[in-house]
Every structure is written in structure tokens, then in C-alpha cells.
């Protein structure tokens, strides 16, 4: 199963990558944040590959990097150890994509792992809260 099967609104990513998004190995983590509303975990990172057919606007701006922010709502648990200024991590999403209202089971698990950084969380839902691109001056 592709990771885009779990967020409740993958349309932007699917359209940008023609339903073949890159896997989430070696993504550059920019931000991990927690909000009391929800409660919600937000994870912002660069995707490891640029789309073959990006939007014209991105081409005109000479963008070369796609950035995604995933929001995990109804956060049930979180564990974070380590952090740094240049984190390249493998991210995985697993689960049902939402909680079964009758049983309270299911939800989405997110895990991001690299040397010196580990994030693990379980939430009721996942969504794409932002999809953007920028010119990365490698």
C-alpha cells in the first residue's frame, strides 16, 4: 500500500505525481510540531524526488523540491527522541486511515527514524495540510 492511501485528502499529491508518489525514505525533516487543537502533530518534510510533470507554476519559478506537511489529528500517543539541524529520515505510515467509531480501534501510525532521531506517534486521522515547492539551493 502506498503511503498516500492513509491521509484523507491525497488528491494534490496524487495529481502532482500522477498517482506514483515517491516513497518516504531519506526525506529531509524540517519541522515537528504539536498543537493542542485536536490534539495534532504536524510533520513537515521534503519529498525525496521531484515530479516528472510538475505544475507549470513550479516550472516557471524553477522549483526543484516538493515539500509536504502532514497533520495527524486526534493524537493518541507520541514518542520523540533526538533532534538536530539536518535530519534525513525514513518515514512510514501504517494503519487503517481512521478510527472505527464503534470499536475505537484503528487510526494512523507514523514513524520517522534516522541516526539520532526517532519519532513514533498514533493518531485518529492523517491529512495533507500543505503541499508546496521551492528552489533548493543544494
Amino acid at each position: 500500500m502506498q503511503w498516500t492511501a492513509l491521509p484523507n485528502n491525497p488528491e494534490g499529491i496524487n495529481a502532482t505525481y500522477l498517482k506514483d508518489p515517491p516513497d518516504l525514505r531519506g526525506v529531509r525533516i524540517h519541522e515537528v510540531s504539536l498543537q493542542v487543537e485536536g490534539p495534532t502533530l504536524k510533520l513537515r518534510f521534503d519529498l525525496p524526488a521531484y515530479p516528472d510533470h510538475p505544475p507549470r507554476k513550479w516550472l516557471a519559478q524553477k522549483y526543484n523540491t516538493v515539500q509536504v506537511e502532514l497533520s495527524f489529528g486526534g493524537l493518541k500517543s507520541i514518542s520523540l527522541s533526538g533532534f538536530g539541524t539536518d535530519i534525513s529520515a525514513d518515514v512510514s505510515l501504517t494503519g487503517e486511515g481512521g478510527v472505527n467509531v464503534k470499536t475505537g480501534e484503528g487510526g494512523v501510525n507514523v514513524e520517522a527514524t534516522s541516526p539520532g532521531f526517532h519519532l513514533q506517534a498514533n493518531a485518529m486521522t492523517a491529512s495533507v495540510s500543505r503541499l508546496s515547492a521551492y528552489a533548493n539551493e543544494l
Side-chain angles (χ1 to χ4, degrees), residues 2-4 13-23 49-52:
Q2 289 185 337
W3 64 271
T4 53
I13 293 171
N14 285 336
T16 301
Y17 284 92
L18 305 177
K19 295 190 178 190
D20 190 25
D23 64 27
Y50 197 70
D52 290 332

Side-chain angles (χ1 to χ4, degrees), residues 27-42:
V27 303
R28 183 170 175 228
I29 305 283
H30 285 274
E31 181 178 15
V32 175
S33 64
L34 297 169
Q35 284 80 42
V36 295
E37 293 85 19
T40 302
L41 163 69
K42 290 191 177 188

Side-chain angles (χ1 to χ4, degrees), residues 9-134:
N9 59 339
E11 299 83 10
I13 293 171
N14 285 336
T16 301
Y17 284 92
L18 305 177
K19 295 190 178 190
D20 190 25
D23 64 27
L24 300 181
R25 287 184 291 212
V27 303
R28 183 170 175 228
I29 305 283
H30 285 274
E31 181 178 15
V32 175
S33 64
L34 297 169
Q35 284 80 42
V36 295
E37 293 85 19
T40 302
L41 163 69
K42 290 191 177 188
L43 181 62
R44 186 169 55 96
F45 54 88
D46 293 344
L47 289 174
Y50 197 70
D52 290 332
H53 304 285
R56 278 182 262 168
K57 177 180 170 181
W58 292 1
L59 285 171
Q61 296 292 326
K62 297 187 175 20
Y63 293 156
N64 60 6
T65 304
V66 176
Q67 191 169 97
V68 172
E69 181 181 81
L70 297 178
S71 294
F72 301 92
L75 189 63
K76 295 191 269 182
S77 67
I78 184 168
S79 170
L80 175 67
S81 62
F83 209 66
T85 58
D86 190 20
I87 299 170
S88 179
D90 294 341
V91 175
S92 68
L93 301 178
T94 58
E96 305 295 318
V99 172
N100 181 314
V101 177
K102 291 181 181 178
T103 65
E105 295 178 6
V108 179
N109 298 305
V110 59
E111 188 169 5
T113 305
S114 74
F117 171 75
H118 184 81
L119 168 73
Q120 187 170 1
N122 178 264
M124 292 172 59
T125 62
S127 61
V128 178
S129 47
R130 187 168 59 178
L131 176 66
S132 59
Y134 70 98

